[in-house]
Amino acid sequence: MNPDVHERACRLIDAWHVEGIAAVEREWLEAHLAECAACRARARANERTLQVLRSNTLIVDPALVSTTQARVRWRARELRENQARLRALWISCGLSWLLGILTAPLLWEAFAWLGRRFDISQAIWIMAFAMCWVAPATLVGAVVAWRQSHAASVGNDPKAWER
Ligand SMILES: [Zn+2]
């Protein structure tokens, strides 16, 4: 068959559903489609595409859907865990401060007594007291820093959401 014939058919197929074609051209096209499988396939593909566009139906890959759902669930779980972690952090900070304030006078007395008992210079036992007093807060800070770096490394793991 003459390639110009198929080219004309293609042009008419494209125009058919968009701008419409004359009755004579339509008759000619239908006759051609009846005997040409390639142009018939093209016409069917055009029709399907237009149907999808008109119905506004998006065909989404099911794998993409489940991947997205898994990511959303993972992120929600991460946010819940972060919230719980933050609450625990505030509670431990509060307790640490309360304990520090309540024990400060006793600790001070104990260090002063040790200083007198073992004849240690005042500067040294005061420094030892200060180090002892800030130790819990330092420990909590270190734990928080470690957990954050741990969380960041899990967050950077591209496969973490699959777990
Ligand atoms: Zn053809």
Side-chain angles (χ1 to χ4, degrees):
M1 210 179 281
N2 187 345
D4 288 349
V5 173
H6 299 290
E7 205 177 295
R8 183 185 173 200
C10 284
R11 223 170 341 102
L12 289 176
I13 288 165
D14 291 342
W16 191 0
H17 294 287
V18 180
E19 57 212 60
I21 53 176
V24 186
E25 287 175 319
R26 191 173 167 168
E27 250 170 62
W28 178 88
L29 183 62
E30 277 169 356
H32 177 74
L33 291 180
E35 59 190 33
C36 177
C39 288
R40 210 165 38 237
R42 186 190 167 101
R44 227 176 284 136
N46 262 25
E47 248 168 82
R48 267 199 303 270
T49 306
L50 284 169
Q51 270 172 2
V52 168
L53 287 174
R54 282 192 190 117
S55 65
N56 263 337
T57 310
L58 277 176
I59 298 156
V60 182
D61 183 5
L64 181 67
V65 172
S66 69
T67 301
T68 307
Q69 284 174 338
R71 275 178 194 268
V72 169
R73 275 196 296 270
W74 177 73
R75 183 71 186 132
R77 197 183 66 196
E78 194 187 48
L79 289 175
R80 274 198 305 275
E81 283 172 1
N82 278 353
Q83 232 168 15
R85 224 177 282 146
L86 205 66
R87 206 175 306 126
L89 179 67
W90 278 111
I91 290 169
S92 65
C93 277
L95 282 177
S96 157
W97 271 99
L98 195 68
L99 214 66
I101 289 163
L102 289 177
T103 57
L106 292 171
L107 208 61
W108 178 267
E109 284 304 317
F111 274 89
W113 179 82
L114 283 171
R116 283 192 306 271
R117 175 79 177 76
F118 297 102
D119 202 23
I120 301 165
S121 109
Q122 199 182 21
I124 289 172
W125 72 254
I126 287 176
M127 202 157 73
F129 161 79
M131 277 164 68
C132 245
W133 199 64
V134 297
T138 311
L139 196 72
V140 169
V143 167
V144 169
W146 177 79
R147 297 211 53 161
Q148 272 180 346
S149 70
H150 180 72
S153 69
V154 168
N156 288 335
D157 180 356
K159 290 280 173 194
W161 54 271
E162 284 177 351
R163 289 195 289 267

